[in-house]
Amino acid sequence: MNEWMNYEQFDRQEWHSFFPTDTVRLSQDNLDEIKSLNDRISIEDVQDVYLPLIKLLQLRFQNHLEWQMQKANFLHQKSERVPYIIGIAGSVAVGKSTIARLLSILLNKLLPDKRVELMTTDGFLYPNAELKRRGILDRKGFPESYDMEKLLRFMNDIEAGKTVVKAPTYSHQVYDVMPDQPLVIRQPDILIVEGINTLQLPSSQQIYVSDYFDTAIYVDADAEQIEKWYLQRFGMLLDTALTDPDNYYYSYSQGPREEAFEMAKNVWQTVDLPNLTDYILPTRNRANIILHKTANHVVDRIYLKRG
């Protein structure tokens, strides 16, 4: 069965027409500050794609609040603060982090009286030492490299309204988890969870992380296009590591650039592409909204799940 049968498809012009505002309280400098390395985002992108998306998320958030109140009244219970959770999934190098940060900023501007928090699931990777112990360091990013039980406990604590919840963080500079630098999250009204594994079913678990999501977004692009972005990003990482011996990419930046890029191409072909094909892409149809990108990170199509 065609997976797109369950989605309505819109091009940029039609999507923009649903919320045709040109009021963007951000400058291009603001956008350049939040984008990741070789990612690209413009004021026009915000107008055409992300403001209508934010409006839709606002409507879904309002429905969420009304449902919580109605349910509490029906059960004769005190209304509890249950966060609205947005998940963002997709391949490495597809621009998930930039979109997550942009949505966080726009939601904060649209709903200034609400607490909007953002976290990434990268921190729930097992530390490199543990990956080595298990013999799966070369499988980093694959489902088995994540402590999914820990991630599910985190999601459960968030949904239960726990006052303070800590999430582990990850540094791409040192290429490892940072156990001494947790992200502290305090009862958000809206939580954005970004990561390649957010729509996957963990092995030996009966629930998806996405079962906690009120809206799931998948950032999509053709694999050949993502490979170009991946290699562009790798080149920029080499440039930033040139004078920093503590940076994971420093050793690669000191040798012949051609050899470094051959290594990166091999990693894409043997790790990231199989992970995308076998584990990430098959979860796409669990998303409520799919943003399809083409060259230069331009979103050209938006898919909205029916129902």
Side-chain angles (χ1 to χ4, degrees):
M1 181 182 292
N2 185 349
E3 72 169 293
W4 302 115
M5 289 178 62
N6 200 27
Y7 288 88
E8 297 181 78
Q9 177 181 336
F10 310 98
D11 60 25
R12 281 176 71 112
Q13 183 177 3
E14 186 176 13
W15 183 252
H16 176 61
S17 72
F18 300 139
F19 189 60
T21 180
D22 293 328
T23 304
V24 180
R25 289 176 289 178
L26 293 171
S27 68
Q28 186 59 52
D29 287 342
N30 296 146
L31 298 179
D32 290 341
E33 287 175 4
I34 65 173
K35 72 181 181 66
S36 299
L37 290 178
N38 64 315
D39 206 346
R40 171 206 165 277
I41 192 163
S42 68
I43 294 295
E44 185 180 34
D45 295 327
V46 176
Q47 292 172 343
D48 291 351
V49 177
Y50 297 104
L51 288 181
L53 176 58
I54 286 294
K55 184 61 178 178
L56 181 62
L57 291 173
Q58 181 193 21
L59 293 173
R60 293 177 70 108
F61 176 58
Q62 288 301 129
N63 288 338
H64 167 81
L65 294 179
E66 291 172 9
W67 165 242
Q68 297 304 324
M69 183 177 64
Q70 291 171 359
K71 183 175 70 170
N73 289 339
F74 178 77
L75 297 174
H76 304 290
Q77 295 175 346
K78 181 181 177 182
S79 183
E80 297 182 348
R81 184 175 180 174
V82 180
Y84 186 84
I85 304 177
I86 300 167
I88 301 180
S91 171
V92 300
V94 79
K96 300 182 304 301
S97 298
T98 297
I99 291 174
R101 286 192 291 268
L102 177 61
L103 294 186
S104 175
I105 289 171
L106 292 174
L107 285 168
N108 268 304
K109 288 183 176 295
L110 182 67
L111 304 167
D113 60 328
K114 302 299 181 184
R115 181 189 292 272
V116 181
E117 298 274 11
L118 167 63
M119 59 82 64
T120 173
T121 62
D122 288 351
F124 290 91
L125 283 161
Y126 288 114
N128 288 347
E130 177 63 17
L131 293 174
K132 289 178 182 176
R133 189 187 70 79
R134 297 183 179 216
I136 56 172
L137 184 60
D138 60 343
R139 299 274 294 176
K140 192 171 186 176
F142 281 77
E144 65 268 28
S145 66
Y146 286 89
D147 189 342
M148 293 302 288
E149 186 172 337
K150 186 175 183 179
L151 176 55
L152 289 170
R153 285 200 307 271
F154 167 85
M155 297 302 303
N156 194 65
D157 288 343
I158 287 288
E159 189 176 63
K162 193 172 178 181
T163 305
V164 176
V165 183
K166 293 183 179 181
T169 58
Y170 183 88
S171 169
H172 289 278
Q173 280 68 46
V174 301
Y175 198 61
D176 206 350
V177 177
M178 306 293 284
D180 299 328
Q181 300 178 28
L183 173 66
V184 179
I185 297 176
R186 293 180 172 86
Q187 291 189 307
D189 296 289
I190 299 174
L191 175 66
I192 301 172
V193 180
E194 175 260 314
I196 64 174
N197 63 328
T198 53
L199 299 181
Q200 294 173 11
L201 176 64
S203 58
S204 76
Q205 299 288 347
Q206 298 302 308
I207 58 175
Y208 292 81
V209 176
S210 61
D211 288 339
Y212 292 95
F213 295 163
D214 297 287
T215 296
I217 299 171
Y218 185 93
V219 186
D220 192 27
D222 295 340
E224 295 80 6
Q225 184 64 69
I226 301 174
E227 181 181 10
K228 291 179 183 178
W229 296 335
Y230 176 85
L231 294 174
Q232 287 172 358
R233 185 179 72 173
F234 178 75
M236 297 181 77
L237 287 169
L238 289 183
D239 293 338
T240 60
L242 277 169
T243 58
D244 182 7
D246 294 328
N247 192 301
Y248 171 78
Y249 295 93
Y250 176 78
S251 60
Y252 297 110
S253 72
Q254 301 305 298
R257 204 168 177 87
E258 297 79 10
E259 291 183 12
F261 270 92
E262 283 303 314
M263 182 278 298
K265 289 177 184 177
N266 182 63
V267 171
W268 170 260
Q269 291 293 333
T270 61
V271 179
D272 293 300
L273 181 58
N275 195 18
L276 170 61
T277 303
D278 297 341
Y279 297 103
I280 302 172
L281 191 59
T283 69
R284 181 173 59 186
N285 63 0
R286 293 187 59 81
N288 306 103
I289 300 164
I290 299 172
L291 304 177
H292 182 271
K293 286 185 170 187
T294 185
N296 297 317
H297 285 277
V298 173
V299 175
D300 62 340
R301 296 194 302 277
I302 298 92
Y303 296 85
L304 183 63
K305 183 168 279 189
R306 303 179 192 276

